Amino acid sequence: MSLVAFQDALAALVASPDDTRRVRAGDAAPLDRYDLTSRERERLVAVARQPGMAVNCVLYRAHRMVPLMSLFGRTCAWLGEGLRAEVDAFWATTTHTMIQFEVEAKAFGRHLLGRVAARDLIDPVVADLVAVELAMVDLRFLTAGERRAAPGGRNPLVRVLRLRHDVESLLRAEPVAAAGYAVVDARGGGEPVAYRPDPAVAAAWAAFEAGGPGTGDVELLRDAGLLA
Amino acid sequence: VSALGVGIVYNRALPRFLAECPDAVDYLAVTPETFWSDARTGDAPSRFRENAAAVAAFESLAVRLPVVAHGIALSIGTAAGIDMGHMGHLAQVGRWHERYGFDWYGEHLSYTRVESPDGAERHAGLALPVPYDADVLDTLDERVRLVGQVVAAPFLLENGTTYTTLPDEDMSEPAFLNALCARAGCHVLLDLHNLHANVVNGFVDADAYLGELDLDRVLEIHVAGGSMLAGMYTDAHSGPCPPEVWDLLDAVLPECPSVRGVAFEFVSGYYPALGADGVRAQLDRARTAWERHR
């Protein structure tokens, strides 16, 4: 089992530049929690002292950032200098990730929404941006079964969100406070797109959500692609 | 296994590229695990959520081109064991082999998955090299045989890029690969850009490395470009191959009697910078080498 501990310890050093610096400086305490042979311990100390360990640490962070930047790019850009603290807080709760794009991105989105709900993150724009990008992630990773529509039901390739900002201004990073619906649409086959629905469609959707759409409303929603 | 020619490692820019340049490649090297999310628990198919849109885009090309697998998540070097069994990662790769008929299955001689003493698993964040020790060789010998039982295709292991080295190893990387191939019957995926990165970073000498490696076992060669990071040259797949990689290809191809393909790798995010013409130029350069030496 010793090699298990060695790999665990090396991966922990890669994920923790602080521990790597301690070991490099001669304080091997971060290795004490592992059941290592003397050869393995000497190897880890030697590795921590090599300049390439800095590259390993940077690559670890970069590889964990890629799913977030790829799938929550607008949210990350909006957070600006606050992104680092949010990412660190997220990673502190997800030390055992397998770094899969869908899983990692959805977990980050839920983490941010949780921070907003707890009022640890007080920025109403973030909640709307996360909602839009979370819907896009959801649509990007649909399975074949999830893409099949139930007749008369909601279109599985479309999400309708209620936001506090106009979605089109949000996507331009110039948010305008205006409560209303946003449509996130993957019917085109490429990347999902988000847009403000036509006012008549928005009114029909409000009636649909309230449970009382008329026949004309259903036809309108079907034509707009919101219903299958 | 018949020779395939010049290939490309599949990424999501490929449908666009191959729409413009349909005759640019002879085969696709696909990374199966980029098409699914793995819940790590539960039964297939609920454990493996396949991205239907991505699969459809890939299949539109796979119907007309041979496909090989270039895996990144087997983590054959994980000391705690590989993910076996009917519901495991390897079985899912096996199902994809049944579906697409991989000519071969390549993976990395490294580990990405680690386990804590309590059995909790996590990703190491990057591919870390296994110690080239005799006991690790014994373990990987068994693992390679297991892979062959689940994925009935030639199995290749790729030499890696490393930014740190372990002192006091029992053998060199080529000696380890030679011994593993001889014992377990696997083959080598020779990544010339990984070798180049290790040369630039001062870890190996290319001639000595290639002189020691049993080139008869090389079934596929990869070429790529990279970039500098924190003072070291990385295998970033970020653009065209440096001239040294092409020199290595020209030098090594005639020495690899079993080689069946040469594939170019790039990350899709660099496609706008490379452009269709840029990717095509890399593939044409690889084809020139292939046709000269094969």
Side-chain angles (χ1 to χ4, degrees), chain A residues 184-199:
Chain A
V184 184
D185 190 338
R187 288 176 300 155
E191 299 295 304
V193 294
Y195 52 84
R196 183 191 320 120
D198 178 87

Side-chain angles (χ1 to χ4, degrees), chain A residues 156-172:
Chain A
L157 304 182
V158 172
R159 299 284 183 274
V160 183
L161 310 172
R162 190 185 280 276
L163 304 180
R164 283 181 285 179
H165 296 82
D166 167 63
V167 65
E168 293 177 14
S169 66
L170 265 181
L171 298 181
R172 292 193 305 270

Side-chain angles (χ1 to χ4, degrees), chain A residues 117-128:
Chain A
R119 300 191 65 76
D120 292 328
L121 181 58
I122 303 170
D123 183 342
V125 173
V126 170
D128 279 358

Side-chain angles (χ1 to χ4, degrees), chain B residues 178 190 210-211 213-219 252 255-258:
Chain B
N178 291 347
L190 177 58
L210 294 172
L213 186 67
D214 181 359
L215 297 176
D216 288 352
R217 304 301 302 196
V218 174
L219 218 65
V252 83
E255 308 300 323
C256 299
S258 306

Side-chain angles (χ1 to χ4, degrees), chain A residues 7-8 14 39 43 50 52-53 56 59-60 63 95-98 100 102 140-144 146-147 191, chain B residues 12 37-38 49-52 77 79 116-117 120-126 133 163-165 167-168 170 232:
Chain A
Q7 293 183 345
D8 189 16
V14 166
R39 185 193 201 193
R43 281 176 166 177
Q50 294 173 27
M53 199 58 184
N56 285 340
L59 285 175
Y60 172 86
H63 291 160
T95 52
H96 281 76
T97 177
M98 292 305 288
Q100 300 181 78
E102 180 188 12
R140 274 192 180 97
F141 290 94
L142 291 175
T143 65
E146 290 164 346
R147 293 176 72 89
E191 299 295 304
Chain B
R12 63 198 184 105
S37 299
D38 182 354
R49 283 176 43 80
E50 289 189 7
N51 180 336
S116 306
E121 60 177 7
R122 68 185 191 281
H123 199 284
L126 68 163
D133 292 341
Y163 306 106
T164 54
T165 55
D168 186 31
D170 293 349
M232 298 193 95

Side-chain angles (χ1 to χ4, degrees), chain B residues 109-260:
Chain B
L109 179 60
S110 61
Y111 64 96
T112 53
R113 185 172 51 82
V114 293
E115 281 195 18
S116 306
D118 62 0
E121 60 177 7
R122 68 185 191 281
H123 199 284
L126 68 163
L128 294 169
V130 295
Y132 300 130
D133 292 341
D135 58 333
V136 177
L137 181 62
D138 291 341
T139 301
L140 291 197
D141 178 8
E142 288 174 27
R143 302 253 174 100
V144 169
R145 292 169 198 274
L146 288 171
V147 170
Q149 291 169 16
V150 179
V151 183
F155 184 57
L156 287 59
L157 282 169
E158 178 181 328
N159 59 300
T161 308
T162 185
Y163 306 106
T164 54
T165 55
L166 297 179
D168 186 31
E169 289 179 298
D170 293 349
M171 59 196 98
S172 66
E173 181 176 270
F176 188 92
L177 276 167
N178 291 347
L180 187 56
C181 290
R183 284 171 52 168
C186 58
H187 305 267
V188 174
L189 195 178
L190 177 58
D191 190 313
L192 291 176
H193 188 257
N194 286 351
L195 174 60
H196 173 64
N198 292 341
V199 169
V200 171
N201 294 328
F203 295 126
V204 294
D205 173 83
D207 290 338
Y209 187 97
L210 294 172
E212 189 178 4
L213 186 67
D214 181 359
L215 297 176
D216 288 352
R217 304 301 302 196
V218 174
L219 218 65
E220 188 183 24
I221 294 174
H222 280 186
V223 293
S227 56
M228 294 300 292
L229 174 72
M232 298 193 95
Y233 184 76
T234 65
D235 179 43
H237 299 173
S238 51
C241 303
E244 295 89 340
V245 169
W246 294 126
D247 292 344
L248 286 171
L249 181 64
D250 288 334
V252 83
L253 256 179
E255 308 300 323
C256 299
S258 306
V259 68
R260 295 294 181 259

Side-chain angles (χ1 to χ4, degrees), chain A residues 2-207:
Chain A
S2 184
L3 188 58
V4 175
F6 173 81
Q7 293 183 345
D8 189 16
L10 180 55
L13 289 177
V14 166
S16 172
D18 287 344
D19 281 352
T20 296
R21 276 190 286 270
R22 285 178 65 186
V23 175
R24 185 186 303 148
D27 172 9
L31 305 179
D32 289 347
R33 74 185 85 119
Y34 302 99
D35 180 19
L36 300 166
T37 64
S38 58
R39 185 193 201 193
E40 289 167 339
R41 194 176 174 90
E42 286 163 14
R43 281 176 166 177
L44 289 167
V45 171
V47 165
R49 288 177 176 158
Q50 294 173 27
M53 199 58 184
V55 178
N56 285 340
C57 292
V58 171
L59 285 175
Y60 172 86
R61 288 186 74 87
H63 291 160
R64 289 206 66 181
M65 280 302 295
V66 167
L68 312 186
M69 294 298 290
S70 302
L71 297 170
F72 279 89
R74 293 183 179 91
T75 305
C76 290
W78 181 260
L79 285 167
E81 291 184 358
L83 175 63
R84 182 173 184 152
E86 292 303 330
V87 167
D88 283 342
F90 169 60
W91 287 353
T93 66
T94 54
T95 52
H96 281 76
T97 177
M98 292 305 288
I99 320 186
Q100 300 181 78
F101 271 61
E102 180 188 12
V103 176
E104 192 88 348
K106 285 182 174 175
F108 183 57
R110 287 193 296 268
H111 167 82
L112 289 176
L113 290 179
R115 301 257 300 156
V116 169
R119 300 191 65 76
D120 292 328
L121 181 58
I122 303 170
D123 183 342
V125 173
V126 170
D128 279 358
L129 278 172
V130 172
V132 172
E133 295 202 293
L134 204 48
M136 288 178 167
V137 172
D138 207 26
L139 292 169
R140 274 192 180 97
F141 290 94
L142 291 175
T143 65
E146 290 164 346
R147 293 176 72 89
R148 278 193 284 274
R154 297 182 184 218
N155 188 332
L157 304 182
V158 172
R159 299 284 183 274
V160 183
L161 310 172
R162 190 185 280 276
L163 304 180
R164 283 181 285 179
H165 296 82
D166 167 63
V167 65
E168 293 177 14
S169 66
L170 265 181
L171 298 181
R172 292 193 305 270
E174 298 166 349
V176 173
Y181 287 111
V183 177
V184 184
D185 190 338
R187 288 176 300 155
E191 299 295 304
V193 294
Y195 52 84
R196 183 191 320 120
D198 178 87
V201 172
W205 187 259

